[in-house]
Amino acid sequence: MSSHLPAAASERRGLLNTLGLHRPELRAWAMYDWANSAFICTITNAVFPIYFVSVAAAGMRGPEATARYGWATTIGLAIVAILAPILGTIADYAPVKKRLMGTFMGIGVAATAVMFFIMRGDLLLASILFILANIGANGSFVFYESLLPHIARRDEMDRVSTAAYAMGYIGGGLLLVINLLWIQKPEWFGFPSGEGLTAAQATFPARLSFLSVAVWWLLFSIPVFRRVPEPPVTASTEEEKATPALRLAFSRLGETFRALRGYKQAFLMLIAFLIYNDGIGTIVRMATVFGTELKIDTGTMILAIVIVQFVGVPCAFLFGTLAGKIGAKKSVFLALAVYVGITILGYFMKTGRDFLILAALVGLVQGGAQALSRSLFASMIPRHRSGEFFGFFGVFEKFAGIFGPAIFSVVVATTGTSRNAILAVVVFFIVGGILLAMVDVEEGQRIARAEEERVGATQIV
């Protein structure tokens, strides 16, 4: 039948199959990455952090404003990390994955849209909305990610996940470019510009970018709710049905934790990842806040985030190639070494040019470090337990991002400068690297394969 298709249609189908997006539900699922990455780029990484420090916290000393932003980040992520296992358990025993995903997405979209009304000195409002937006976005991710095993076969999941990851980079970067043009060239779009503007007029392009994120996020989320079916629920025992969701969630989390400890190398890898990934998250989240404190031009900082987005996609694939030649563990070590250099250079950073160089370095290693960490962990766990172990991995991944901003804020409050806080982040990479060096990958893989053989191939497939 395919032989009768026009050549262009046949090529398109071949490309979609290669990418792992050959069915409507797979494309619809991946579109949510395109949708929510606008929030990650514009709100979490680029425009809002600058706006928070320079407008919402106007009149406050730079280091103090930076610390306030760090605490707001920590609070939002901590709440989600605590809620994640509870919400995941509820969704496993009731057909509510899409409903809960939509609820959290609605919270995030609404909070982001209301950011349009943040004006000079509205620090409390900005903090509350940022915390709510983080809870909404990251809460929706719990259910979004849980849909993948229900729509993709095991041999498709890597391709589908990678394609969604790339779509997120492109979608978030595309809206960020539009936001950058609004902010840097408002006259091109008929927005107020020039001298003598009121506070509302001067901040209009930035506030409009927050509103655009909410619209973008909502609009491009429609496919996942229309095309992806609600997955069937896990069969419950009578005892589980009678157990309160909170108690059941922590009981299951405890069981998985005890089981994972039996795989020493995978568990050590997980701890190492928690620590160094916290350093990666801190650099991404706090970079523009630090740059604002140093009076680096807003346009330069947003351009830097765009660079990270578009450099990240090809470099993630390049790191995959590198891992095939020298191994995943050595490739992650290389990325961590680059991050150590980034933190040291960040301490001495003074100009916009320095900021752009650091952005290029982050883009070089960010995607590769995180992607290879996941695959390295996956190679040291038995396939028949990958679901529960990766559920635990997800909880650790959410906690990675809490401690870094908190320590960043404490160092700023203690020393009075963000330079020392940036330098302190190097500890995450050093400690994480030391723990990673202690991981015996070959031993971990041997134990995992032996367990697979013991259980038997029929239970693994």
Side-chain angles (χ1 to χ4, degrees):
M1 184 174 181
S2 61
S3 60
H4 299 296
L5 291 173
S10 181
E11 289 178 9
R12 178 175 177 271
R13 176 172 292 185
L15 176 61
L16 290 175
N17 188 65
T18 300
L19 294 175
L21 302 177
H22 47 290
R23 294 195 300 274
E25 67 271 22
L26 300 179
R27 294 192 291 274
W29 182 84
M31 280 304 297
Y32 191 69
D33 232 305
W34 174 289
N36 68 61
S37 289
F39 173 83
I40 301 299
C41 289
T42 297
I43 304 299
T44 301
N45 297 346
V47 182
F48 185 76
I50 300 170
Y51 192 87
F52 185 99
V53 171
S54 59
V55 179
M60 186 177 289
R61 287 194 321 113
E64 188 178 352
T66 301
R68 293 292 184 91
Y69 179 81
W71 284 121
T73 299
T74 298
I75 292 170
L77 292 178
I79 292 173
V80 174
I82 293 169
L83 288 176
I86 304 170
L87 296 172
T89 296
I90 294 173
D92 277 344
Y93 289 92
V96 293
K97 280 184 171 67
K98 288 172 63 178
R99 191 181 310 170
L100 288 174
M101 177 182 169
T103 299
F104 277 90
M105 187 200 76
I107 293 171
V109 167
T112 303
V114 177
M115 287 177 177
F116 177 82
F117 300 102
I118 298 173
M119 301 299 292
R120 184 178 176 85
D122 289 340
L123 179 61
L124 180 60
L125 177 62
S127 299
I128 292 173
L129 290 177
F130 186 57
I131 290 171
L132 287 174
N134 264 305
I135 291 172
N138 289 283
S140 74
F141 296 161
V142 173
F143 306 104
Y144 165 62
E145 292 167 355
S146 72
L147 294 173
L148 179 59
H150 299 280
I151 62 170
R153 299 190 304 269
R154 175 170 295 191
D155 62 319
E156 296 174 329
M157 281 197 282
D158 286 342
R159 287 181 297 149
V160 176
S161 182
T162 302
Y165 188 84
M167 287 179 67
Y169 262 128
I170 297 169
L174 180 60
L175 183 61
L176 185 58
V177 169
I178 297 171
N179 294 156
L180 174 60
L181 292 175
W182 283 350
I183 293 168
Q184 292 299 297
K185 299 292 182 181
E187 65 278 5
W188 288 6
F189 304 91
F191 301 154
S193 62
E195 301 293 332
L197 297 179
T198 65
Q201 290 174 326
T203 59
F204 179 77
R207 292 186 293 115
L208 185 62
S209 72
F210 307 151
L211 188 58
S212 74
V213 168
V215 173
W216 182 285
W217 188 358
L218 180 63
L219 179 64
F220 289 109
S221 295
I222 293 174
V224 73
F225 293 102
R226 291 193 60 182
R227 295 283 190 175
V228 177
E230 177 66 40
V233 298
T234 303
S236 305
T237 64
E238 291 302 317
E239 181 181 355
E240 287 173 334
K241 289 178 180 177
T243 304
L246 182 63
R247 187 188 305 170
L248 181 61
F250 282 103
S251 173
R252 290 183 65 195
L253 198 62
E255 290 173 6
T256 303
F257 179 75
R258 287 189 291 273
L260 180 57
R261 287 180 62 188
Y263 299 88
K264 179 181 177 183
Q265 305 305 325
F267 185 71
L268 187 59
M269 172 67 210
L270 191 62
I271 299 299
F273 174 75
L274 170 67
I275 294 172
Y276 67 68
N277 195 47
D278 205 337
I280 294 173
T282 302
I283 286 179
V284 171
R285 290 178 176 274
M286 304 305 294
T288 51
V289 179
F290 180 48
T292 302
E293 184 183 323
L294 297 181
K295 310 296 183 187
I296 292 175
D297 178 68
T298 298
T300 299
M301 288 190 288
I302 298 177
L303 175 61
I305 302 300
V306 172
I307 290 173
V308 172
Q309 291 298 112
F310 290 105
V311 169
V313 175
C315 286
F317 287 113
L318 287 174
F319 256 87
T321 302
L322 180 65
K325 295 181 177 180
I326 67 172
K329 180 177 175 179
K330 290 181 180 178
S331 298
V332 173
F333 267 127
L334 177 60
L336 295 182
V338 174
Y339 270 115
V340 169
I342 288 171
T343 54
I344 295 173
L345 290 173
Y347 177 81
F348 294 103
M349 181 176 67
K350 294 181 180 179
T351 67
R353 181 172 173 270
D354 296 338
F355 199 89
L356 292 174
I357 292 172
L358 290 176
L361 290 173
V362 170
L364 180 68
V365 295
Q366 180 177 314
Q370 293 174 322
L372 290 179
S373 296
R374 285 192 290 268
S375 63
L376 193 58
F377 177 72
S379 74
M380 293 185 286
I381 59 175
R383 285 178 290 170
H384 63 282
R385 307 200 72 163
S386 63
E388 60 180 300
F389 284 177
F390 263 101
F392 203 79
F393 184 89
V395 173
F396 267 55
E397 195 169 24
K398 286 176 177 62
F399 270 105
I402 295 174
F403 305 112
I407 291 175
F408 193 99
S409 300
V410 168
V411 173
V412 170
T414 304
T415 67
T417 174
S418 295
R419 288 193 183 277
N420 292 335
I422 285 289
L423 195 59
V425 176
V426 77
V427 174
F428 288 94
F429 300 120
I430 293 175
V431 173
I434 291 173
L435 291 176
L436 179 61
M438 297 167 62
V439 176
D440 187 333
V441 177
E442 289 75 17
E443 174 67 8
Q445 292 172 340
R446 185 190 65 77
I447 292 173
R449 300 297 83 80
E451 176 64 11
E452 289 177 357
E453 292 176 6
R454 187 187 70 78
V455 172
T458 57
Q459 291 180 265
I460 296 174
V461 177

